[in-house]
Amino acid sequence: LTRLNTVVPTIMERAGIDCWVLVAREYNEDPVAKTMLPATWLNARRRTILVFTDSGTERIAIARYAVGSAFPAGWSPEDEPDQWQRLAAYLEEKDPRRIGVNVSSTFALADGFSSSEYSRFRSALPSALSKRLVPADELAIGWLETRTPGEMSLYPEVCRRAHGLLRRALSDEVIESGATTTGDVEWWLRQQVTDRGYDTWFHPTVSVQRNEAEIERGSFAAHPGGKTIVPGDLVHIDFGIAYLGLHTDQQQHGYVLLPTESAAPQGLTSGMTQGNRLQDILAAEFLAGRTGNEVLEAARTRALADGLEPTIYTHPIGLHGHAAGPTIGLWDMQEGVPGAGDYPLWPDTAYSIELNVAVTVPEWNDQLVRIMLEEDAFFDGESVRYM
């Protein structure tokens, strides 16, 4: 309710859209509408139509049922059997200037108005209202990406819990050198998530890089499932949880010492330092109003000038894992991402700072290794802080 009262009017005023219509059918919910349902509603009921008018200050459900305390019911089938006609009549009464609808060719999360429902909606509208329909990308993304103070009082704790599991997974509590496989670690993490009542939004991935001639070079996305972890391995984990409606996405490394070693090879330690440097460079380029592509270009320019070999693929995080907001590079699109990368950064948003640097390790015969890092962070409009 706090989000509805504070976020929606702000983003509607910002976008210059005074009416927003969302349609959710049971088991085929608009992803935005689903986040507006009460906690006791696991799905929409029948067809649930949510309408914001007066720039978000007035709410109603054109549905048989009220939607919690936030949306009073605004349709009686006994008085008007056709739900679409009731919606059209309500909109005629409110006479909005611009009617936002979740139809988008750029953002999947803003494209929740199904084709058949949209067709029926338009057919019910008078011509004058139909001409006022506009894509609601800015509203859908703005609603999903904005983090409230209440959420931010919880989010660092969610991240802390995920980090705790990562630390345990990268320890001898879980890994018995020469016996434990990468798949074993993945399923240990899945079981821990289940045992604690969390959810996971992707299966953890665990991989190794090691000093061996047959390593698959340059293909950091490859997943060598089932490989046994042995001394001399650089273990990498990509892991995330969903808890209290908030998602994490984190990547970390652990090195398994050889019997003759008391520390990781200096080449790997240097690589980690370079990875941390790239994180700092990227975070420093976050400026409100910049697009994701502009942040990407600025960070890569600085990183290359520093002698790094960077790959940046940072994404928003929050109510989803790969969440709503600007894309800041994809691993295979380092020159910019048309559409999603052209969206600007707004204050009070969260990001998974995801990237890697390619380094050569002298102790491994100058073998190429990628230091792949990912940490969740909050952008307040002025600076980035890690959660």
Side-chain angles (χ1 to χ4, degrees), residues 123-303:
S123 296
L125 288 180
S127 176
L129 286 180
S130 184
K131 294 176 181 177
R132 302 179 196 179
L133 298 177
V134 296
D137 298 55
E138 293 175 78
L139 302 184
I141 302 305
W143 163 262
L144 292 172
E145 73 173 344
T146 302
R147 303 278 66 81
T148 64
E151 289 171 327
M152 289 312 301
S153 71
L154 300 171
Y155 216 158
E157 172 64 16
V158 179
C159 293
R160 187 190 69 79
R161 294 186 183 204
H163 265 293
L165 292 177
L166 270 173
R167 281 194 296 272
R168 292 176 61 195
L170 288 169
S171 75
D172 57 12
E173 174 190 354
V174 176
I175 297 175
E176 181 184 350
S177 180
T180 304
T181 68
T182 53
D184 292 336
V185 181
E186 291 171 352
W187 284 106
W188 181 87
L189 283 165
R190 282 293 297 274
Q191 188 63 54
Q192 295 297 313
V193 168
T194 298
D195 291 348
R196 283 158 179 72
Y198 310 150
D199 290 318
T200 187
W201 60 278
F202 69 96
H203 185 68
T205 57
V206 180
S207 59
V208 298
Q209 297 176 87
R210 59 175 54 141
N211 182 9
E212 59 181 7
E214 65 270 21
I215 190 170
E216 184 176 5
R217 302 182 183 211
S219 182
F220 73 91
H223 174 41
K227 184 168 286 188
T228 300
I229 298 169
V230 298
D233 279 352
L234 179 66
V235 183
H236 170 262
I237 298 180
D238 188 354
F239 174 63
I241 67 171
Y243 183 54
L244 301 176
L246 299 168
H247 295 65
T248 71
D249 197 1
Q250 299 159 346
Q251 294 181 40
Q252 294 197 341
H253 288 282
Y255 179 72
V256 184
L257 294 172
L258 292 166
T260 57
E261 292 177 317
S262 59
Q266 181 57 41
L268 294 181
T269 302
S270 174
M272 183 66 72
T273 299
Q274 292 182 52
N276 293 153
R277 173 62 182 151
L278 182 57
Q279 290 174 312
D280 291 342
I281 288 172
L282 177 58
E285 295 301 333
F286 273 57
L287 293 175
R290 265 189 179 176
T291 67
N293 288 333
E294 290 170 342
V295 173
L296 173 68
E297 181 180 13
R300 279 182 50 80
T301 298
R302 284 184 57 187

Side-chain angles (χ1 to χ4, degrees), residues 61-82:
I62 304 299
R64 177 183 281 275
Y65 308 107
V67 180
S69 61
F71 297 88
W75 174 50
S76 170
E78 291 74 24
D79 297 330
E80 169 53 76
D82 191 314

